[in-house]
Amino acid sequence: RLSLWTDQDIMRLEQLLTSTANSDVLPPRAVAGKKWSVLDSGSEPNVANVKRDFPGHEIRESAGEKAGLMYKGANGALIPNEGEAGVTHREADGTIHKFTFQHADVHCQILSVTQLVTRDCTGTFHTAGGHVLYPDGRRIRVVAKGVVCFVMLNVMPPLFKGIEVSEQPMLLSC
């Protein structure tokens, strides 16, 4: 079950993100390549409007799309699954994380806690945020603003259609 937010929720979230409190922690707007994703414990898949949020990423047919999967938004509206896309995130230390986002007409990116748990990740959370820890030691930083937790995805551009990005950072020389 997916918990999607209403337009009113999004407006409150925008106000929260652009407030002057903790402005050193959260910028008023995401910069190019960086996308704030809500860490959601009530969402089964990762979901985003891939065309808007991750332009250039190839949307491929997904099992949910084939099955006619619909998500129920907070306002009761049914939102169809329209495929999926792979998104690669790079932490500041160079650590690479890959995520599959289901493509749907949603207002904000949702990063599923359930998806992280199925990868045997654990979380440490406190008033300022915390982190998600993978079994191999990789971490994803979590930032808290009020009662909402966010992950700033540093989205790497897709290289070429059909070519996967390596789990390891690559060094290129000319």
Side-chain angles (χ1 to χ4, degrees), residues 105-120:
D105 188 16
V106 295
H107 294 283
C108 64
Q109 304 90 38
I110 298 170
L111 197 57
S112 166
V113 171
T114 302
Q115 290 294 313
L116 294 169
V117 170
T118 61
R119 294 179 179 188
D120 291 328

Side-chain angles (χ1 to χ4, degrees), residues 89-170:
H89 159 70
R90 183 186 300 259
E91 289 284 326
D93 67 1
T95 304
I96 300 292
H97 301 276
K98 290 183 178 183
F99 299 103
T100 298
F101 279 87
Q102 298 304 305
H103 174 56
D105 188 16
V106 295
H107 294 283
C108 64
Q109 304 90 38
I110 298 170
L111 197 57
S112 166
V113 171
T114 302
Q115 290 294 313
L116 294 169
V117 170
T118 61
R119 294 179 179 188
D120 291 328
C121 295
T122 58
T124 301
F125 301 96
H126 45 78
T127 55
H131 65 270
V132 174
L133 180 64
Y134 280 78
D136 64 6
R138 293 179 296 152
R139 291 176 181 240
I140 298 175
R141 181 173 172 247
V142 175
V143 176
K145 185 92 172 190
V147 296
V148 182
C149 289
F150 300 90
V151 171
M152 171 60 89
L153 293 180
N154 180 21
V155 179
M156 297 173 61
L159 297 178
F160 303 98
K161 286 186 177 185
I163 296 178
E164 289 290 322
V165 175
S166 168
E167 286 285 341
Q168 301 298 319
M170 295 185 296

Side-chain angles (χ1 to χ4, degrees), residues 14-146:
E14 278 290 319
Q15 290 170 349
L16 188 65
L17 287 173
T18 58
S19 71
T20 56
N22 292 327
S23 60
D24 58 325
V25 176
L26 294 176
R29 296 272 182 216
V31 295
K34 300 196 183 293
K35 303 288 182 181
W36 285 110
S37 292
V38 175
L39 194 58
D40 189 346
S41 62
S43 177
E44 168 62 29
N46 300 320
V47 182
N49 184 323
V50 174
K51 289 178 185 174
R52 182 195 65 223
D53 300 328
F54 308 120
H57 285 76
E58 182 180 5
I59 299 170
R60 57 188 177 269
E61 188 174 53
S62 68
E65 179 185 22
K66 286 181 193 176
L69 181 65
M70 303 284 273
Y71 304 116
K72 188 173 185 180
N75 63 359
L78 294 177
I79 305 165
N81 178 307
E82 299 176 9
E84 66 184 19
V87 175
T88 303
H89 159 70
R90 183 186 300 259
E91 289 284 326
D93 67 1
T95 304
I96 300 292
H97 301 276
K98 290 183 178 183
F99 299 103
T100 298
F101 279 87
Q102 298 304 305
H103 174 56
D105 188 16
V106 295
H107 294 283
C108 64
Q109 304 90 38
I110 298 170
L111 197 57
S112 166
V113 171
T114 302
Q115 290 294 313
L116 294 169
V117 170
T118 61
R119 294 179 179 188
D120 291 328
C121 295
T122 58
T124 301
F125 301 96
H126 45 78
T127 55
H131 65 270
V132 174
L133 180 64
Y134 280 78
D136 64 6
R138 293 179 296 152
R139 291 176 181 240
I140 298 175
R141 181 173 172 247
V142 175
V143 176
K145 185 92 172 190

